């Protein structure tokens, strides 16, 4: 055997062992008393619990483990101790099941609500309250209590009427919620804010003022003209003209001024056979802002054609009256044969006329065109003849005649912009005529026309009045005297007829 041992050791390790042999285990010998010992059983149980849940088992230790420091003479106390011990064993089993189910998962479940004994070191505090499960929310504002019909609350000295300062203050704070949404009032109820009647009335008045101011700004934005005078209402009017076929297309803006903007458009087909729409049209849009018309009411308020309809209480009607006035004046001039735009249609503050020019290029103004001496002399006599026709045949005074409102097209002068034109019987009609004569005389005299008359001679030639005055001051004084006589005659007799007499018809100057 001793000799065979080295040979056996030289082979594999498993060849020297029997696979069916009994394992070599070391047995610990203990007596039967130790096995039946209750103390040993408790220690084994604690070891098992500490291995799984050491932190919870430590919390489970208590005075019920041993009965040395507890009086066990009472049956009630024994029953409570046994019940507590059973509850702890039940909680330990729940914890084992909970750990077995959760494992290493990131999402875990809890059996905390099923435990019998809750440890004191739990994460949830006794002071915490789930506000979702409570009816009273301290962060929710208390609505002010309403006063009953009798008008007071309480009895004796503790009576509180509806006029109480605190009650009224809270009611005023609650009423702030009825202000306009644009008026930020904040959370006054949550702060238990108490507003006095004086402060609440001031805030209420301020809120109403802000609401009205916002409405005015909105109205001004909607009704006033925007860029190039095309506000929403004007755009709608232009769309209707294009959709109806009266206008084929609107190309763009050709002129801008303080009172109006002029667009170019190609004419379409007319709905009626008697009305012919020119191939090219000019759309004059009067601006709906009132700033430019504040100081120009003198041209229309004393005109007997619009005197009864003039009212400063509704200033927006004045703008439509300006457009209507230009339409009537152009119609008179066209019937007299004066070169001017032909009226096509009037829609509110939009006036469609014939276009003076060609291929979207407007005719130049008289101040922008360079004319030779013959053309300048021809333009002067045409202007003088038109002024006489305008005064005698059309019974009108241009009132704003200058080189800025006269166009040169096809070898002749065309008059435009006659919205401010008035009749000679206007209280300031002769003054306007004298101003026109001064502008025309100065322009053609500077242009080199030797035959050009001065302003006083031109005034007598146009009006037919033989006013003999050596200087301009006396001349204007006689003009004012004639206007005063005519105004008194109108007030006394109620007729719009001129009382000043003229020495026959003025001579017609022709080249």
């Amino acid at each position: 055997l001793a000799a065979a041992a080295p040979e056996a050791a030289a082979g594999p390790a498993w060849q020297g062992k029997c696979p069916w042999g009994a394992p070599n285990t070391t047995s610990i010998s203990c007596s039967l008393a130790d096995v039946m010992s209750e103390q040993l059983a408790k220690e084994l149980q604690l070891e098992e619990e500490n291995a799984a849940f050491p932190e919870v088992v430590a919390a489970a230790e208590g005075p019920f483990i041993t009965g040395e420091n507890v009086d066990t003479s009472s049956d009630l106390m024994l029953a409570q101790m046994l019940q507590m011990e059973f509850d702890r064993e039940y909680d330990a089993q729940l914890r084992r099941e909970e750990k077995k189910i959760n494992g290493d998962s990131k999402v875990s479940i809890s059996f905390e609500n099923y435990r019998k004994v809750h440890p004191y070191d739990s994460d949830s505090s006794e002071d915490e309250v789930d506000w979702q499960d409570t009816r009273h929310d301290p962060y929710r504002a208390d609505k002010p209590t309403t006063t009953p019909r009798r008008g007071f609350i309480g009895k004796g000295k503790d009576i509180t009427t509806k006029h109480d300062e605190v009650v009224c203050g809270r009611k005023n704070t609650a009423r702030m919620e009825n202000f306009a949404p644009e008026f930020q009032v904040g959370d006054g109820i949550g702060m238990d804010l108490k507003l006095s009647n004086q402060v609440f009335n001031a805030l209420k008045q301020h809120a109403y003022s802000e609401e009205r101011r916002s409405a005015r700004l909105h109205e001004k934005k909607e009704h006033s003209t925007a860029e190039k005078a095309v506000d929403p209402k004007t755009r709608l009017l232009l769309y209707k003209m294009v959709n109806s076929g009266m206008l084929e297309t609107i190309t763009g803006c050709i002129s801008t001024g303080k009172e109006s903007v002029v667009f170019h458009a190609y004419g379409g087909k007319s709905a009626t056979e008697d009305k012919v729409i020119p191939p090219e049209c000019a759309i004059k849009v009067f601006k709906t802002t009132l700033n430019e018309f504040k100081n120009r009411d003198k041209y229309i308020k004393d005109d007997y054609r619009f005197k009864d309809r003039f009212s400063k209480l509704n200033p927006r009607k004045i703008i439509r009256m300006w457009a209507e006035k230009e339409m009537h004046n152009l119609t008179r001039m066209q019937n007299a044969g004066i070169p001017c735009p032909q009226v096509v249609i009037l829609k509110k503050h939009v006036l469609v006329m014939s276009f003076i020019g060609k291929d979207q290029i407007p005719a130049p103004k008289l101040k922008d065109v360079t004319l030779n001496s013959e053309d300048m002399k021809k333009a002067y006599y045409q202007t003088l003849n038109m002024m006489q026709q305008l005064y005698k045949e059309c019974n009108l005074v241009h009132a704003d005649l200058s080189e800025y409102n006269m166009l040169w097209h096809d070898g002749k002068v065309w008059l435009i912009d006659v919205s401010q034109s008035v009749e000679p019987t206007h209280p300031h009609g002769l003054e306007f005529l004298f101003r026109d004569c001064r502008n025309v005389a100065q322009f053609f005299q500077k242009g080199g026309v030797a035959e050009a008359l001065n302003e006083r001679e031109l005034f007598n030639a146009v009006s037919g009045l033989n006013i003999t005055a050596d200087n301009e001051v006396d001349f204007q004084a006689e003009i004012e005297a004639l206007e005063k006589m005519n105004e008194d005659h109108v007030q006394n007799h109620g007729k719009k007829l001129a009382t000043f007499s003229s020495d026959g018809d003025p001579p017609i100057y022709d080249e």
Side-chain angles (χ1 to χ4, degrees):
L1 294 174
E7 296 179 1
W14 57 272
Q15 293 182 359
K17 297 181 180 180
C18 180
W20 293 279
N24 295 328
T25 58
T26 58
S27 60
I28 301 175
S29 61
C30 58
S31 62
L32 181 61
D34 295 336
V35 174
M36 300 300 294
S37 174
E38 184 178 358
Q39 182 67 27
L40 180 60
K42 290 183 178 295
E43 291 178 359
L44 293 176
Q45 181 180 356
L46 291 176
E47 290 178 2
E48 182 181 357
E49 293 180 356
N50 287 333
F53 305 98
E55 69 282 355
V56 182
V57 175
E61 294 179 357
F64 298 100
I65 301 300
T66 60
E68 297 177 357
N69 55 349
V70 180
D71 184 13
T72 59
S73 60
S74 173
D75 295 338
L76 178 61
M77 182 60 66
L78 289 175
Q80 291 178 352
M81 291 171 61
L82 293 175
Q83 183 65 39
M84 181 62 69
E85 192 66 22
F86 175 78
D87 293 342
R88 289 178 177 174
E89 292 177 2
Y90 177 78
D91 292 346
Q93 181 64 25
L94 283 180
R95 285 190 290 270
R96 285 191 292 269
E97 293 291 337
E98 181 181 335
K99 184 176 181 181
K100 181 180 179 181
I101 294 174
N102 293 333
D104 297 334
S105 177
K106 295 183 179 180
V107 180
S108 61
I109 62 174
S110 175
F111 295 153
E112 183 69 25
N113 295 335
Y114 298 97
R115 293 183 182 179
K116 299 296 184 180
V117 181
H118 295 276
Y120 290 100
D121 58 346
S122 175
D123 295 337
S124 61
S125 175
E126 294 181 357
D127 297 335
E128 292 185 0
V129 181
D130 187 4
W131 301 117
Q132 297 179 355
D133 300 335
T134 57
R135 295 184 178 181
H136 177 69
D137 187 356
Y139 298 101
R140 184 180 301 172
D142 294 333
K143 294 184 178 180
T145 58
T146 58
T147 307
R149 291 187 176 181
R150 62 177 180 268
F152 63 91
I153 301 176
K155 296 181 179 180
K157 296 181 179 179
D158 298 332
I159 188 172
T160 302
T161 65
K162 63 180 180 180
H163 303 290
D164 184 70
E165 184 179 358
V166 177
V167 175
C168 288
R170 289 175 177 169
K171 285 184 178 180
N172 292 336
T173 305
R175 290 194 190 104
M176 286 197 305
E177 295 182 352
N178 299 328
F179 289 168
E182 296 83 8
F183 191 77
Q184 304 294 336
V185 296
D187 187 14
I189 301 179
M191 296 185 296
D192 194 18
L193 186 64
K194 306 176 185 64
L195 295 179
S196 62
N197 293 335
Q198 182 179 3
V199 175
F200 173 76
N201 292 333
L203 287 176
K204 181 180 179 180
Q205 186 64 31
H206 179 65
Y208 289 164
S209 301
E210 288 295 316
E211 187 176 3
R212 289 194 298 268
R213 187 181 68 86
S214 177
R216 286 196 302 269
L217 292 177
H218 180 72
E219 181 183 4
K220 182 178 180 181
K221 182 179 179 181
E222 290 296 328
H223 293 83
S224 63
T225 52
E227 185 69 18
K228 301 302 181 185
V230 184
D231 58 324
K233 288 188 176 181
T234 305
R235 191 180 299 113
L236 181 60
L237 291 175
L238 298 179
Y239 285 162
K240 288 182 178 180
M241 293 179 183
V242 175
N243 292 335
S244 64
M246 185 181 66
L247 298 178
E248 182 179 351
T249 180
I250 301 175
T251 58
C253 178
I254 58 176
S255 176
T256 58
K258 296 184 298 182
E259 304 168 1
S260 62
V261 177
V262 181
F263 296 91
H264 176 270
Y266 285 105
K269 297 180 180 179
S270 176
T272 58
E273 297 180 356
D274 57 343
K275 192 170 187 179
V276 179
I277 298 179
E280 289 187 89
C281 298
I283 305 174
K284 188 171 184 178
V285 180
F286 288 84
K287 293 182 178 180
T288 54
T289 50
L290 306 178
N291 296 332
E292 304 298 338
F293 295 91
K294 288 181 179 178
N295 301 324
R296 298 180 66 86
D297 55 353
K298 61 182 179 180
Y299 293 96
I300 195 170
K301 70 176 181 179
D302 293 326
D303 195 329
Y304 77 97
R305 296 175 293 174
F306 305 94
K307 188 174 183 180
D308 297 335
R309 296 163 52 191
F310 180 81
S311 174
K312 283 191 175 182
L313 299 178
N314 192 355
R316 297 198 179 276
K317 288 185 177 180
I318 303 177
I319 301 167
R320 297 185 183 181
M321 292 170 64
W322 272 96
E324 183 180 351
K325 187 177 180 182
E326 180 158 5
M327 180 194 69
H328 291 305
N329 293 339
L330 287 175
T331 304
R332 286 191 184 184
M333 295 168 60
Q334 184 180 353
N335 295 333
I338 298 177
C340 64
Q342 177 186 355
V343 177
V344 178
I345 193 173
L346 172 66
K347 291 290 186 181
K348 295 184 179 179
H349 60 285
V350 178
L351 180 62
V352 182
M353 306 171 291
S354 61
F355 180 68
I356 309 300
K358 189 177 181 181
D359 297 334
Q360 302 185 26
I361 301 176
K365 297 178 182 179
L366 206 58
K367 74 176 186 68
D368 297 328
V369 68
T370 303
L371 301 177
N372 52 32
S373 59
E374 293 296 330
D375 289 339
M376 184 65 72
K377 183 179 179 180
K378 180 180 177 180
Y380 171 73
Y381 281 105
Q382 288 180 357
T383 304
L384 180 57
N385 188 19
M386 286 190 296
M387 292 178 67
Q388 292 176 343
Q389 284 184 297
L390 195 66
Y391 186 87
K392 285 297 181 181
E393 299 181 20
C394 301
N395 196 26
L396 287 175
V397 175
H398 192 281
D400 193 20
L401 187 61
S402 64
E403 62 273 17
Y404 293 88
N405 292 329
M406 291 186 289
L407 304 181
W408 181 259
H409 180 63
D410 289 341
K412 58 182 178 180
V413 180
W414 297 69
L415 293 183
I416 61 171
D417 193 9
V418 293
S419 58
Q420 72 286 330
S421 300
V422 297
E423 295 192 349
T425 54
H426 189 276
H428 304 283
L430 297 181
E431 295 180 18
F432 297 153
L433 178 60
F434 183 74
R435 186 176 62 187
D436 291 346
C437 294
R438 176 188 298 167
N439 295 334
V440 171
Q442 290 179 355
F443 173 75
F444 284 104
Q445 285 176 356
K446 291 180 181 178
V449 180
E451 296 84 353
L453 304 175
N454 58 31
E455 57 266 22
R456 287 174 287 176
E457 295 173 348
L458 184 59
F459 179 86
N460 290 329
V462 172
S463 63
L465 300 175
N466 189 14
I467 300 179
T468 57
D470 298 335
N471 51 31
E472 184 177 347
V473 177
D474 296 338
F475 195 89
Q476 290 184 350
E478 292 190 22
I479 291 177
E480 293 177 0
L482 291 176
E483 290 178 342
K484 179 64 175 175
M485 291 172 55
N486 184 67
E487 186 176 0
D488 294 339
H489 177 77
V490 171
Q491 293 180 357
N492 295 331
H493 299 83
K495 295 182 180 180
K496 205 65 175 176
L497 299 175
T499 58
F500 43 81
S501 60
S502 60
D503 297 337
D505 294 335
I508 303 298
Y509 288 86
D510 197 355
E511 185 179 6

